[in-house]
């Protein structure tokens, strides 16, 4: 069932009968691991997240065919629900997910970093000469992007203690400078690969809540999945924080 043009040429699948065709396909596919995965994925979406099977399957097919622009451009509707559940489990860890959030899919973590700086400039949230704080040592693009000629941001280093890879209070207190508009954090750290302890998270959270409610934070948690019971700064300070995650 396709909304074909004349003589079956081209067109866009309308999803009619797609579940039945899929079930027949699965029934004939034997023990193929990939097909079993698809079958389980569809059941998960329906049983755990309440996503209509036909809608979801058709969204996947349309996305795979690439026959249209993504709508909405931010992220496909049902795929967002699935990814959101995953991100909530990974980034909130043992904390209840009490805050709502939106996702914006990009090509990867690095792409999202470049877009985030760009969009903050275009929307007047950052301007040339502003200060950006970086928890260092840090993944090098965070050092390279602020000094590009289109941004000319001044970098303030918030140094991790190189024995514990945690933030000393004296470093957190550098954030009292109101010319610092943005804080970029990589947690768990790259290259140190150590996550923020509960104590570091709590001290940073209290400081921002008490002294810098206006601070923008980008937390790059691409390694969060590899840490046990990981809690992101995004879960602790949802109002201030944009989370970068990469598969
Ligand atoms: C902290 C951090 N963020 C982002 C990236 C890049 O993510 P992606 O490969 O999705 O662009 C890396 C890769 O090394 C990284 O270490």
């Amino acid at each position: 069932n396709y909304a074909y043009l004349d003589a079956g040429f081209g067109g866009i699948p309308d999803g009619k009968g797609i579940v039945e065709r899929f079930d027949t396909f699965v029934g004939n596919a034997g023990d193929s691991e990939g097909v079993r995965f698809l079958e389980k994925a569809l059941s998960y979406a329906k049983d755990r997240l309440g996503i209509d099977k036909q809608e979801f399957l058709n969204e996947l097919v349309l996305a795979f065919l690439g026959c249209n622009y993504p709508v909405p451009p931010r992220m496909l509707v049902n795929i967002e629900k699935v990814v959101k559940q995953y991100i909530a489990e990974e980034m909130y860890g043992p904390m209840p997910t009490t805050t709502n959030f939106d996702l914006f899919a990009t090509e990867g973590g690095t792409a999202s970093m470049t877009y985030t700086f760009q969009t903050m400039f275009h929307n007047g949230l950052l301007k040339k000469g502003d200060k950006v704080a970086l928890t260092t040592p840090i993944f090098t693009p965070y050092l390279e992007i602020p000094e590009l000629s289109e941004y000319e941001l001044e970098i303030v280093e918030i140094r991790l203690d190189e024995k514990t890879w945690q933030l000393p209070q004296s470093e957190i207190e550098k954030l009292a400078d109101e010319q610092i508009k943005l804080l970029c954090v990589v947690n768990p750290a790259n290259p140190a690969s150590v996550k923020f302890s509960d104590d570091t998270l709590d001290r940073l959270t209290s400081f921002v809540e008490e002294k810098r409610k206006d601070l923008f934070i980008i937390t790059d948690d691409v390694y969060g999945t590899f840490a046990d019971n990981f809690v992101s700064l995004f879960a602790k300070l949802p109002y201030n924080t944009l989370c970068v995650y990469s598969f």
Side-chain angles (χ1 to χ4, degrees), residues 8-147:
F9 180 79
I12 293 176
D14 62 8
K16 280 189 200 135
I18 197 168
V19 176
E20 292 73 12
R21 285 196 300 282
F22 178 77
D23 288 343
T24 306
F25 167 73
V26 167
N28 294 333
D31 254 355
S32 157
E33 213 179 311
V35 174
R36 292 289 154 240
F37 170 75
L38 275 179
E39 192 185 19
K40 281 196 224 160
L42 237 67
S43 299
Y44 172 87
K46 168 141 195 324
D47 300 340
R48 289 282 302 277
L49 305 177
I51 302 173
D52 181 75
K53 249 185 167 171
Q54 173 170 329
E55 244 184 72
F56 189 50
L57 202 47
N58 206 44
E59 187 174 292
L60 290 176
V61 168
L62 289 169
F64 181 77
L65 290 175
C67 57
N68 229 322
Y69 294 101
V71 177
R74 193 169 59 73
M75 187 143 188
L76 297 174
V77 173
N78 293 299
I79 306 237
E80 178 172 15
K81 293 178 192 158
V82 176
V83 179
K84 191 170 178 172
Q85 178 66 26
Y86 171 75
I87 295 285
E89 286 176 24
E90 292 299 322
M91 297 292 109
Y92 281 71
M95 272 180 72
T97 313
T98 49
T99 38
N100 195 14
F101 56 89
D102 292 326
L103 297 176
F104 198 126
T106 64
E107 305 91 311
T110 312
S112 108
M113 289 158 55
T114 62
Y115 296 146
T116 303
F117 276 86
Q118 214 168 32
T119 196
M120 287 186 78
F121 261 76
H122 289 165
N123 288 287
L125 303 176
L126 280 179
K127 58 179 184 340
K128 284 189 178 183
D130 282 345
K131 292 183 186 171
V132 52
L134 308 175
T135 53
T136 57
I138 196 166
F139 183 45
T140 43
Y142 288 102
L143 292 161
E144 293 161 347
I145 295 171
E147 61 184 24

Side-chain angles (χ1 to χ4, degrees), residues 107-113 138-139 141-142 185-190 220-223 244-247:
E107 305 91 311
T110 312
S112 108
M113 289 158 55
I138 196 166
F139 183 45
Y142 288 102
V185 172
V186 171
N187 179 36
N190 173 2
D220 181 332
D221 300 345
V222 303
Y223 302 112
V244 172
Y245 184 83
S246 173
F247 288 100

